[in-house]
Amino acid sequence: MLVSNRLEEVLIAVPNDDYDRALAAIANSGLLHVEEPPEPLKDYLNRSYRRIALEAAEKRSKLEGILKVLGVEPRSTGVVEIRVKDWQQAFIDVVRANSELEAAAERAASRITELSSRASELQALLNLVSLISDVSANVREAWEGVHARAAVGIIDVTQLQAASQVALKHGLLYVSVPVGEGKQAALLVAGDAGGVSSAAGELSRLGWRQVMIPPDLPSSPSEAVKVIRDALEKIRSEIESLRSEALKRADELSRYYAQVSGLAEVLRAVSLSARTSTTSFIYGFSDVKDSKRLRKVLEDCCGQAFIIRSLGIRRGEKDVPTKVELPGYFRWFQTIVEMYGTPSGDEIVPTVFMAVTMPIIFGLMFPDVGHGLLVLLFALLYMLPRSRDIAKVAAILGAAGMITGVLAGEFFGPVGSKAIGLDRLWASLGFKVPPLLSPVEAATSTSTQGYTMYLFDLIFDLSFWIGAFMLTFGNVLGIANDLLSRDYEDLVARRAPLTLLFLAAGLPFLVYFNAFRAGSVIEEALFGLGRGGPMQAFVFYGAVSALVWLVIGEPAYSAAIGEGFKLDPYEAFLGLFEGMLLTLGNTISFLRIMGLSLAHAGLMVGFTILYYVVLTTHPTPLTFAAAVIVYVIGNLLTAGLEGIVAFAHDLRLHFYEWFNKFYRGLGRPFRPLTVPGVVFVVS
């Protein structure tokens, strides 16, 4: 789990008569990552298959686009069997047999795309025209006047003063009326035709959107709005009808897609195979632990008429793909890691660690049982059908928010918490307040100022401790990666001194779990030149040694390998400056954990205060309903906004503050020849 699997580089040779059976067996097993063979076999590649392989890949992409438009899942519900005598002919036969189905689906998808484009245009026009739907005048004729003209459009109210100056400059009459909840205004300019045309150009640069009604619609806004709404309703009804009709053949379309997709994969493998007059060669990589299975697969299909030549066990070498094998929970987070990049074979896979740290950090930034539940439900009900792994990660993050929400005593903010008795639960357990209660919430309750500061210090200490741990641990992983990749120059010249520097800066936070105490130790160490105790001595001498090491590390390594001691002052200064900047900046960056936690609590405290203001001291059913609506909207806004922000900052702390200490992510994924939902039978 911590490093990629070892791969065996193999070259398979089979008689030409057995090649199709061997390739079908390999495709059905999904054990071999097929690639173009090395020299001199490249001279014998099946180049004649490249055209049909490209055609099959394009057909697959085309079908994916059609299925997406039709709203059909591109996945076969059962196993499709394809009988093969010749791979190229098999593809041609499948396409020919489904030509009517493809043509009908393409016509429906094309019509839906056309209608959707028209609906988007009409919706944009409706959004504009509906703002002046009370106007019954002919705005098109007013704009097309020869000597005098009038034009009406929508502009942001903040630009009204500048717009009036434009109208006055051209000697035009102008009228503005607030529309759209007062944030926008309808601005009419009238006068000389040339002046109105010139003013329209200048006004557009201020954000003025002129209402231009197309000739196929009534020229008055009031009538145009009705016609546009009717047209939109008809378009949406037709789109729904087309999609419903397509769903009747969803199984056929999915089956056809599975056939094309499977054949596209095999035809690509055929185009990468080499062929002489008697023998065919398949080259690629397989997992070492699958070596016996691969040989058994070939033995079952070809008897003893094959040869597998092992070209060595590979991992981390150039052009060798990377296969990462993880259990279910950790595999979900691999999708997040691969957003940054696929791990190389000679580096530690960070997924196992990230699967632990990411939920913890998200939970601390987003501590609320109710809001975490909303994230969990959103992941399961909306995201799961679209992206299973990302949805599962989001569900875990939501669950983490629920756990920290219990510790913070938050359930849809303070009002919900009191309603379900979460505060009383912690009181019954002997706590004055919940252990992770936000200091923002404590400051507005009956808690003393001393306890508020204690809670503030706690989240402050947590943020610094997590930062010190992850940054130090990340550098240790960087040392391990340098050893795995045998990059001793980076190890000696950069990674080892940076690890010592981060350890010197972070050890006080790790040991004392008290940011103020750790800060005092660092201050004593720096100004006391290491005097004051063992910790102060380590901080001072460790930091000084690390900085000196950063300056002389690379020249010393060069001297050690016989290239001479060459100190470049500019590179030395940049390395020194970068080391100090990273240590300071990366550590402080983890304070965003505290910042987002306080912001989350602050938003809910604000909406709670607004709830009580609307409720009034003598509530009525009307004020109670209004207060509840305000509080519900506040919860939805906070959960949506803070959920996105917390996830983004959680990713940032991992990608930019942590990964750059040890993770490159420059590998190529191991993609075995596999045909899910398809079984090939060679006759």
Side-chain angles (χ1 to χ4, degrees):
M1 293 195 301
L2 297 183
V3 293
S4 61
N5 293 15
R6 293 188 306 156
L7 301 181
E8 182 180 15
E9 185 181 10
V10 297
L11 181 63
I12 302 171
V14 295
N16 288 339
D17 291 343
D18 292 319
Y19 171 75
D20 289 340
R21 281 192 296 275
L23 189 61
I26 290 171
N28 291 335
S29 68
L31 297 176
L32 186 69
H33 174 108
V34 178
E35 291 198 351
E36 189 174 282
E39 300 289 353
L41 288 175
K42 286 184 179 179
D43 296 333
Y44 299 94
L45 285 173
N46 283 331
R47 300 187 189 280
S48 61
Y49 274 85
R50 289 190 173 180
R51 182 193 60 80
I52 194 69
L54 180 61
E55 184 180 334
E58 290 174 347
K59 180 70 72 175
R60 176 172 57 185
S61 297
K62 178 183 176 181
L63 288 175
E64 286 173 353
I66 290 173
L67 292 171
K68 183 177 180 181
V69 171
L70 296 178
V72 176
E73 184 71 19
R75 182 184 301 152
S76 179
T77 54
V79 176
V80 181
E81 184 179 286
I82 302 179
R83 296 193 168 270
V84 179
K85 289 185 179 180
D86 174 83
W87 294 109
Q88 180 169 335
Q89 190 59 47
F91 173 71
I92 293 171
D93 291 344
V94 165
V95 172
R96 184 181 295 133
N98 292 278
S99 58
E100 183 276 328
L101 174 66
E102 181 182 342
E106 187 175 7
R107 284 194 302 271
S110 177
R111 180 58 178 163
I112 289 174
T113 302
E114 178 187 342
L115 291 170
S116 298
S117 177
R118 177 58 177 162
S120 297
E121 293 173 1
L122 287 175
Q123 187 62 56
L125 182 61
L126 179 63
N127 293 340
L128 188 63
V129 177
S130 61
L131 294 172
I132 54 170
S133 58
D134 293 336
V135 176
S136 58
N138 191 324
V139 297
R140 190 163 55 236
E141 288 186 4
W143 170 249
E144 294 172 351
V146 177
H147 301 293
R149 286 186 183 177
V152 64
I154 307 301
I155 192 170
D156 193 283
V157 292
T158 59
Q159 296 293 332
L160 270 179
Q161 186 173 357
S164 65
Q165 295 300 319
V166 171
L168 291 172
K169 183 177 75 171
H170 291 277
L172 304 176
L173 296 173
Y174 69 91
V175 177
S176 63
V177 179
V179 294
E181 299 180 356
K183 296 179 181 179
Q184 300 178 96
L187 177 65
L188 171 72
V189 291
D192 175 75
V196 172
S197 298
S198 300
E202 294 185 38
L203 289 170
S204 65
R205 289 191 285 274
L206 296 175
W208 183 71
R209 294 169 294 156
Q210 185 177 354
V211 177
M212 300 284 285
I213 300 178
D216 58 334
L217 293 173
S219 57
S220 72
S222 59
E223 296 178 11
V225 166
K226 298 176 184 177
V227 174
I228 293 171
R229 284 176 177 157
D230 290 343
L232 276 172
E233 185 63 32
K234 290 179 182 177
I235 288 174
R236 287 165 181 159
S237 176
E238 186 176 351
I239 290 174
E240 186 61 33
S241 175
L242 287 168
R243 285 197 170 129
S244 297
E245 192 65 26
L247 287 175
K248 294 178 181 177
R249 307 188 72 178
D251 288 343
E252 293 178 72
L253 286 168
S254 296
R255 179 186 176 88
Y256 178 39
Y257 171 77
Q259 291 174 312
V260 169
S261 182
L263 285 166
E265 286 295 312
V266 172
L267 287 168
R268 174 183 171 275
V270 173
S271 71
L272 294 174
S273 300
R275 188 182 184 94
T276 67
S277 59
T278 60
T279 309
S280 294
F281 299 89
I282 306 169
Y283 167 80
F285 297 88
S286 69
D287 196 319
V288 169
K289 63 182 177 55
D290 292 329
S291 179
K292 290 183 179 179
R293 286 180 59 201
L294 179 61
R295 286 162 172 78
K296 182 69 168 58
V297 165
L298 290 170
E299 187 177 311
D300 290 343
C301 76
C302 304
Q304 298 300 319
F306 72 92
I307 296 174
I308 293 186
R309 173 71 184 274
S310 176
L311 302 179
I313 307 301
R314 304 283 187 260
R315 180 168 61 194
E317 299 177 23
K318 185 179 179 181
D319 297 330
V320 175
T322 304
K323 181 181 180 182
V324 177
E325 204 164 46
L326 296 162
Y329 173 84
F330 299 106
R331 187 169 59 247
W332 306 334
F333 283 86
Q334 182 62 21
T335 305
I336 304 293
V337 171
E338 289 182 352
M339 292 180 181
Y340 189 91
T342 301
S344 302
D346 57 355
E347 65 182 343
I348 290 173
V349 179
T351 310
V352 173
F353 308 115
M354 189 177 183
V356 176
T357 57
M358 192 174 185
I360 290 173
I361 291 175
F362 183 87
L364 290 172
M365 291 177 174
F366 196 72
D368 190 292
V369 179
H371 296 169
L373 179 61
L374 290 179
V375 172
L376 177 62
L377 293 175
F378 177 78
L380 297 178
L381 300 179
Y382 179 79
M383 295 177 64
L384 194 60
R386 293 161 175 80
S387 179
R388 299 183 67 84
D389 287 348
I390 297 293
K392 290 172 182 176
V393 170
I396 291 167
L397 298 182
M402 294 175 68
I403 293 170
T404 52
V406 172
L407 296 173
E410 293 289 327
F411 178 77
F412 291 115
V415 175
S417 175
K418 290 174 182 170
I420 66 169
L422 198 54
D423 53 342
R424 295 191 298 274
L425 169 66
W426 287 108
S428 67
L429 295 174
F431 289 84
K432 183 177 179 181
V433 295
L436 283 184
L437 181 69
S438 170
V440 176
E441 164 65 14
T444 59
S445 67
T446 58
S447 297
T448 64
Q449 183 178 358
Y451 212 89
T452 299
M453 290 307 300
Y454 163 77
L455 294 170
F456 179 85
D457 291 344
L458 178 62
I459 189 66
F460 195 65
D461 297 340
L462 268 173
S463 300
F464 267 118
W465 192 93
I466 291 172
F469 173 79
M470 289 185 64
L471 295 174
T472 304
F473 184 55
N475 279 283
V476 171
L477 292 177
I479 290 177
N481 281 342
D482 282 344
L483 292 172
L484 285 173
S485 61
R486 296 180 175 84
D487 189 353
Y488 301 118
E489 181 178 0
D490 183 72
L491 172 62
V492 172
R494 186 172 183 273
R495 186 53 54 202
L498 278 177
T499 302
L500 179 58
L501 184 60
F502 274 94
L503 184 59
L507 190 60
F509 296 99
L510 295 174
V511 170
Y512 297 116
F513 193 74
N514 185 304
F516 293 101
R517 173 68 177 133
S520 298
V521 168
I522 294 173
E523 181 183 11
E524 291 171 10
L526 295 179
F527 290 100
L529 302 181
R531 292 187 295 271
M535 183 65 73
Q536 287 84 345
F538 176 78
V539 170
F540 179 77
Y541 291 110
V544 171
S545 300
L547 294 174
V548 172
W549 194 347
L550 282 170
V551 171
I552 67 170
E554 190 167 344
Y557 181 82
S558 299
I561 61 175
E563 295 181 359
F565 188 90
K566 300 175 183 178
L567 179 62
D568 186 328
Y570 295 105
E571 288 189 7
F573 171 76
L574 289 176
L576 189 68
F577 180 75
E578 181 191 25
M580 292 189 295
L581 188 64
L582 283 175
T583 307
L584 180 64
N586 289 168
T587 304
I588 292 176
S589 186
F590 276 83
L591 283 178
R592 68 186 67 238
I593 297 174
M594 178 187 72
L596 287 173
S597 176
L598 297 179
H600 182 83
L603 281 172
M604 283 316 304
V605 166
F607 282 111
T608 300
I609 293 172
L610 189 58
Y611 165 83
Y612 284 116
V613 168
V614 174
L615 191 61
T616 72
T617 54
H618 302 289
T620 65
L622 183 60
T623 57
F624 179 76
V628 169
I629 291 172
V630 167
Y631 198 69
V632 168
I633 292 174
N635 269 277
L636 293 175
L637 288 173
T638 302
L641 176 64
E642 286 295 319
I644 294 171
V645 171
F647 179 74
H649 283 279
D650 199 353
L651 277 184
R652 176 188 168 82
L653 287 176
H654 284 86
F655 283 4
Y656 296 103
E657 268 68 38
W658 194 47
F659 276 9
N660 65 11
K661 304 296 178 292
F662 68 98
Y663 186 57
R664 298 184 301 275
L666 300 176
R668 291 189 305 120
F670 177 85
R671 300 193 186 283
L673 172 60
T674 182
V675 285
V678 177
V679 172
F680 291 111
V681 178
V682 177
S683 54

